[in-house]
């Protein structure tokens, strides 16, 4: 990069000026004044110059073909990578995300600012999207822009700072609330009850539940080794689990095993794949069941039954490593997700200590 640096006195201080050639070969300038006319001031001026030069070099070294690339053009490249690595469901989630961020489609990546993303988020609030949906879509935009940074197309991710969206709080039921909900569901549909029981008392994910076959059910544990998912051709079938940690054996009580055997004996629906639940898609668990929950006063998603399981385990004193193994999750993520639980435990401990001493 061609550049010149000039320092001069201005308004009783020091001004630093950087003259440089941009990607088109035109000379441009960046300057900053107000540095003290002292040794410390000169040092700060040089530090500013070094920072700006690094930023300019990163920007100017971008390949010519990507200099004016728009967000949508980069997305089209990125989604090809997604299609090679991830499932059809992930592709569809990115496509839904783009519908809510269409206003930034034609903005060149180099000109994309935090405010552009914030405007899209504000529009989603006006459309009354849930915090959970907004947060999910924003995570996808963040992933796209992180990729652009990693590929040296932009220097900074404008989605990283100051975008205001409330991270959704997960709801955990108390043991009393859980039993009440399970009894309600059991009286409505035995298949729904089995699904809810596997989520809330075994900590299984939706796809893991739908992917269970009867050979996975043992007297004292459930073997989780596959899931039921949508393929790229929109068909549904067995697939690999979310992460390596997801492959696990989950211990179960005698009561859970009895419920499953009773269900198998009395209510089993013929399924050519020998699955516990005969649903072809995940709609009954992702949409129908939450509607039933809300109708009976429980404003939760199906996934929050799994959250309830983890919360109860932690509240009962199980360590985070054990709980992470049980639900097939990462310990670090578990700590972030359930920090509020340990806060509640600490508060209870404080009250107990006060009463004891």
């Amino acid at each position: 990069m061609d550049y010149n640096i000039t320092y001069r006195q201005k308004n009783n201080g020091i001004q630093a000026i950087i003259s440089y050639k941009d990607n088109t070969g035109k000379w441009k300038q960046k300057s900053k004044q107000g540095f003290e006319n002292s040794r410390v001031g000169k040092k700060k001026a040089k530090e500013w110059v070094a920072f700006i030069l690094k930023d300019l070099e990163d920007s100017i070294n971008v390949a010519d073909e990507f200099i004016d690339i728009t967000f949508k053009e980069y997305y089209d490249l990125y989604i090809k990578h997604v299609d090679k690595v991830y499932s059809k469901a992930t592709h569809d989630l990115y496509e839904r995300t783009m519908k809510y961020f269409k206003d930034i489609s034609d903005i060149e990546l180099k000109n994309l600012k935090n405010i552009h993303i914030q405007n899209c988020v504000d529009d989603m609030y006006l459309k009354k999207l849930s915090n959970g949906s907004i947060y999910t879509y924003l995570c996808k935009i963040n992933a796209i822009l992180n990729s652009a940074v990693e590929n040296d197309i932009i220097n900074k991710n404008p989605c990283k700072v100051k975008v205001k969206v409330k991270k959704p709080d997960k709801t955990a039921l108390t043991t009393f609330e859980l039993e009440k909900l399970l009894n309600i569901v059991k009286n409505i549909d035995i298949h729904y009850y089995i699904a809810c029981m596997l989520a809330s008392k075994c900590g299984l994910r939706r796809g893991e539940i739908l992917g269970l076959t009867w050979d996975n059910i043992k007297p004292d544990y459930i073997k989780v080794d596959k899931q039921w998912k949508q393929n790229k051709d929109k068909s549904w079938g067995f697939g690999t689990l979310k992460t390596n940690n997801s492959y696990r054996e989950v211990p179960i009580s005698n009561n859970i095993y009895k419920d499953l055997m009773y269900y198998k004996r009395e209510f089993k629906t013929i399924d050519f794949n020998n699955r516990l639940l005969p649903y072809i898609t995940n709609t009954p668990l992702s949409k129908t069941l939450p509607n039933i929950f809300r109708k009976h006063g429980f404003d939760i998603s199906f996934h929050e039954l799994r959250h309830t399981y983890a919360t109860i385990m932690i509240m009962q004193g199980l360590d985070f490593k054990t709980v992470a193994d049980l639900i097939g999750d990462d310990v670090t993520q578990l700590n972030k997700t359930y920090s509020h639980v340990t806060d509640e435990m600490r508060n209870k401990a404080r009250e107990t200590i006060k009463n004891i001493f």
Side-chain angles (χ1 to χ4, degrees):
M1 181 180 70
D2 291 334
Y3 65 89
N4 296 311
I5 303 170
T6 304
Y7 299 98
R8 68 178 185 182
Q9 290 189 359
K10 186 173 183 179
N11 298 331
N12 298 320
I14 297 174
Q15 180 185 34
I17 305 170
I18 303 173
S19 301
Y20 65 96
K21 276 187 179 180
D22 66 9
N23 281 308
T24 66
K26 294 181 180 179
W27 282 95
K28 293 187 176 180
Q29 279 191 348
K30 285 184 179 289
S31 65
K32 184 175 181 180
Q33 62 189 51
F35 297 106
E36 291 181 5
N37 193 0
S38 64
R39 184 162 54 184
V40 173
K42 290 177 181 178
K43 181 181 178 182
K44 289 184 178 180
K46 289 180 178 180
E47 289 174 350
W48 176 82
V49 167
F51 175 80
I52 295 300
L53 284 176
K54 175 65 171 61
D55 197 45
L56 288 171
E57 286 174 357
D58 289 343
S59 176
I60 290 173
N61 287 334
V62 172
D64 289 344
E65 61 183 306
F66 296 125
I67 289 174
D68 298 321
I69 193 170
T70 65
F71 179 80
K72 179 61 167 62
E73 288 169 342
Y74 184 74
Y75 168 79
D76 291 339
L77 295 174
Y78 180 81
I79 200 66
K80 290 179 181 178
H81 160 72
V82 169
D83 290 343
K84 290 177 182 177
V85 178
Y86 299 104
S87 65
K88 172 70 166 53
T90 302
H91 172 96
D92 291 345
L93 178 55
Y94 273 101
E95 289 290 276
R96 288 198 301 276
T97 299
M98 285 300 293
K99 290 180 181 178
Y100 291 106
F101 285 86
K102 62 180 182 296
D103 287 348
I104 67 173
S105 294
D106 297 328
I107 298 176
E108 294 177 3
L109 276 182
K110 65 183 180 184
N111 296 325
L112 186 61
K113 304 298 181 186
N114 175 271
I115 189 62
H116 298 132
I117 298 169
Q118 184 67 62
N119 287 338
C120 294
V121 170
D122 293 343
D123 286 343
M124 284 189 278
Y125 275 122
L126 292 175
K127 291 175 182 175
K128 299 190 182 303
L129 269 70
S130 69
N131 280 328
S133 295
I134 296 173
Y135 183 77
T136 297
Y137 296 146
L138 194 58
C139 284
K140 296 306 172 190
I141 295 297
N142 187 52
I144 295 169
L145 293 173
N146 272 341
S147 171
V149 173
E150 290 167 3
N151 286 300
D152 296 323
I153 295 174
I154 54 176
N155 299 321
K156 296 178 182 178
N157 179 349
C159 191
K160 281 287 188 183
V161 293
K162 297 181 182 177
V163 176
K164 296 177 181 178
V165 56
K166 180 182 177 184
K167 187 172 182 178
D169 295 326
K170 291 185 176 70
T171 300
L173 302 178
T174 64
T175 52
F176 175 79
E177 291 171 331
L178 176 59
E179 292 306 320
K180 181 180 178 181
L181 178 62
L182 289 175
N183 285 330
I184 290 171
V185 174
K186 191 173 186 177
N187 289 326
I188 295 173
D189 186 287
I190 188 64
H191 303 301
Y192 288 162
Y193 168 73
I194 293 297
C196 291
M197 181 184 71
L198 290 168
S200 63
K201 294 191 174 182
C202 304
L204 271 61
R205 299 178 176 92
R206 184 175 60 205
E208 294 170 348
I209 293 169
L210 293 174
L212 283 179
T213 48
W214 283 106
D215 58 298
N216 292 134
I217 309 301
K218 310 298 180 183
D220 55 354
Y221 71 90
I222 293 175
K223 184 177 182 179
V224 183
D225 59 5
K226 57 188 173 301
Q227 67 171 318
W228 191 253
K229 61 194 291 189
Q230 189 175 26
N231 301 309
K232 292 180 181 179
D233 62 1
K234 296 189 177 181
S235 65
W236 287 79
F238 292 119
T240 56
L241 293 174
K242 185 176 181 181
T243 65
N244 289 333
N245 291 336
S246 300
Y247 293 87
R248 63 199 190 278
E249 293 179 355
V250 181
I252 58 174
S253 69
N254 189 47
N255 287 335
I256 292 175
Y257 183 71
K258 285 182 178 179
D259 273 357
L260 291 172
M261 292 301 102
Y262 175 73
Y263 166 69
K264 180 180 182 181
R265 184 174 65 253
E266 301 293 335
F267 298 98
K268 180 185 175 184
T269 303
I270 295 175
D271 180 88
F272 294 111
N273 293 298
N274 200 35
R275 291 188 300 139
L276 273 67
L277 296 172
Y279 304 126
I280 297 174
T281 72
N282 63 17
T283 300
L285 305 191
S286 63
K287 295 183 179 180
T288 308
L289 262 174
N291 288 334
I292 292 174
F293 296 162
R294 284 190 288 273
K295 184 178 178 181
H296 290 85
F298 294 90
D299 189 15
I300 62 170
S301 66
F302 183 79
H303 185 78
E304 283 168 313
L305 294 178
R306 168 178 153 88
H307 182 75
T308 294
Y309 171 83
T311 301
I312 291 174
M313 294 298 99
I314 294 171
M315 293 294 288
Q316 289 299 316
L318 267 70
D319 63 275
F320 272 49
K321 176 65 170 65
T322 301
V323 176
D325 289 342
L326 290 173
I327 67 174
D329 215 335
D330 176 78
V331 177
T332 302
Q333 184 59 43
L334 195 74
N335 268 302
K336 292 179 182 178
T337 306
Y338 296 92
S339 59
H340 66 286
V341 181
T342 51
D343 287 342
E344 184 178 342
M345 292 168 68
R346 289 190 192 97
N347 291 334
K348 287 184 177 180
R350 290 188 188 99
E351 293 302 316
T352 302
I353 291 169
K354 289 178 182 177
N355 291 332
I356 293 175
F357 299 105

